[in-house]
Amino acid sequence: MKRSLLVPAVLMVSVFVVGTSEYLIAGLLPQVAADLHVSVSTAGQAVTAYALGVVVGGPLVTIATVRVPRKGLALGLLVLFAAGNAVCAVAGSYEVLIAGRVIASLSHAAFLTLALMAATRVVAPHRAGTAIAAVGSGFSVATLLGVPLGVLLGEDAGWRTPFAVLVVLALAAAGALAAVLPRQEAAATRVRDEIATVLGRRVLIVIATTAVGLAATSTVFTYLVPALTGITGFGPTAISALLLLHGAGGLAGGLAAGRLADRSLAFTVRGTFAGLAVMLAAFPFAVPWAGPAVLAVLVLGVLASATTPVLQSLVLRHAGQAPTLAVSVNVCAFNIGIAAGSALGGGLVAAGGLRWLGLAAAALSLAALAISYAAIPREPAPAPA
């Protein structure tokens, strides 16, 4: 297999392992709470601790390692991730579990940044969007398969077992990367250059687009299951099937968006957010009926995952010769948007607005569309004859 195909494939598997860890514990909270003698809500802070580690620690780790050779850094980050999950697997107290989650999270944003950039270095420049989509699809597969399988394993063999499996998988992924990833020296940029790039106008606009756009999708997705059970009337079996459908749509949408971004990045960015706005506005009117609700879940999966490769491609376009910190901060913006959307959705649900979340989300998607126009320069006018 050509290196241009093998390297993104191994990076995708590595991202799958990292992505599975982020949301795995959410499905194991009752077991964790009972074993460590804390409440379920307290156990849920293990999810928050990971998210905070990504948002705060990601840029700091990226800055600290900006001059480290890329291959060695990739292997080191996977080993750090494995160490954090090993701590979780043997945690005898809630405090130790939180420490393990934070340790694992420190590698998250930096590794994803490195994986995205490493994939673009082994393909032709006009294939960058496809490479980003292929690597990023590891998160879609993690949601589609990794988290459900991990939860099933945890219910059968104890909540610690999935974390032990993640340790093995992370070390195996590190071994595979050691074999296939070419040596890539760090870019000859200074920390000052990286910070200056992040503070550039267009990069900041892309980061803002990312945060607002992900807030739009998170507002609905966070409360998708309560809407489908409480409004549509689906049972547990149907809900599981619908989540699989959502994940499959996400995988297809991300890969398709990567290819489209290689052809026309501006059209793909704007088309994605315009389509999201229409779909989200229609969601409140589709969810009361089974057929339209199923279609809405599928389309949500396709369009929500399409945002990842197009926004990361947009960051790389504007970051120039110092893109590392910019990509890392944009990864953090995804998490900030998810947290903000969840908080907004929670407030609306508390006020009795479960069915109408889509309208608020559509407004956010339109806002992201408007912001994106400032991030993408107009095509230059043709020269006069």
Side-chain angles (χ1 to χ4, degrees), residues 15 29 35 247 278 285 329 345:
V15 169
L29 292 182
D35 186 47
V278 172
F285 307 99
V329 172

Side-chain angles (χ1 to χ4, degrees), residues 281-306:
F283 191 83
F285 307 99
V287 75
W289 293 276
V294 171
L295 180 61
V297 169
L298 174 61
V299 176
L300 176 63
V302 170
L303 292 175
S305 290

Side-chain angles (χ1 to χ4, degrees), residues 281-355:
F283 191 83
F285 307 99
V287 75
W289 293 276
V294 171
L295 180 61
V297 169
L298 174 61
V299 176
L300 176 63
V302 170
L303 292 175
S305 290
T307 59
T308 301
V310 297
L311 290 170
Q312 293 290 23
S313 297
L314 197 54
V315 165
L316 285 173
R317 168 181 286 192
H318 294 319
Q321 299 301 312
T324 306
L325 183 59
V327 173
S328 178
V329 172
N330 204 45
V331 170
C332 297
F334 278 92
N335 286 271
I336 292 171
I338 290 170
S342 299
L344 173 62
L348 293 174
V349 169
L354 177 61
R355 178 179 173 181

Side-chain angles (χ1 to χ4, degrees), residues 72-206:
L73 178 59
L75 302 182
L77 289 172
L78 281 177
V79 171
L80 177 64
F81 173 82
N85 282 281
V87 172
C88 293
V90 301
S93 68
Y94 174 74
E95 292 76 15
V96 173
L97 173 66
I98 293 297
R101 293 288 288 171
V102 171
I103 292 171
S105 73
L106 294 177
S107 66
H108 182 107
F111 181 78
L112 181 56
T113 299
L114 187 151
L116 294 174
M117 295 182 62
T120 61
R121 289 184 179 184
V122 297
V123 299
H126 68 276
R127 301 280 294 171
T130 301
I132 290 172
V135 173
S137 67
F139 275 109
S140 297
V141 179
T143 304
L144 181 64
L145 292 176
V147 172
L149 290 177
V151 171
L152 286 175
L153 178 62
E155 291 175 348
D156 183 59
W159 68 268
R160 301 172 189 276
T161 305
F163 289 100
V165 171
L166 284 175
V167 173
V168 175
L169 291 177
L171 294 177
L177 280 180
V180 305
L181 189 66
R183 289 188 60 84
Q184 296 179 351
E185 296 300 322
T189 57
R190 298 168 298 177
V191 172
R192 181 189 308 171
D193 300 325
E194 296 285 345
I195 295 175
T197 297
V198 172
L199 297 179
R201 175 179 171 272
R202 292 199 186 279
V203 171
L204 287 176
I205 291 171
V206 177

Side-chain angles (χ1 to χ4, degrees), residues 59-87:
L60 296 178
V61 173
T62 301
I63 289 174
T65 59
V66 70
R67 302 301 297 272
V68 177
R70 302 293 91 180
K71 182 172 183 176
L73 178 59
L75 302 182
L77 289 172
L78 281 177
V79 171
L80 177 64
F81 173 82
N85 282 281
V87 172

Side-chain angles (χ1 to χ4, degrees), residues 215-236:
T217 58
S218 179
T219 298
V220 170
F221 181 73
T222 303
Y223 298 94
L224 184 61
V225 171
L228 294 173
T229 55
I231 299 174
T232 318
F234 285 119

Side-chain angles (χ1 to χ4, degrees), residues 25-35 38 40 43:
I25 198 167
L28 300 170
L29 292 182
Q31 299 94 309
V32 172
D35 186 47
V38 296
V40 172

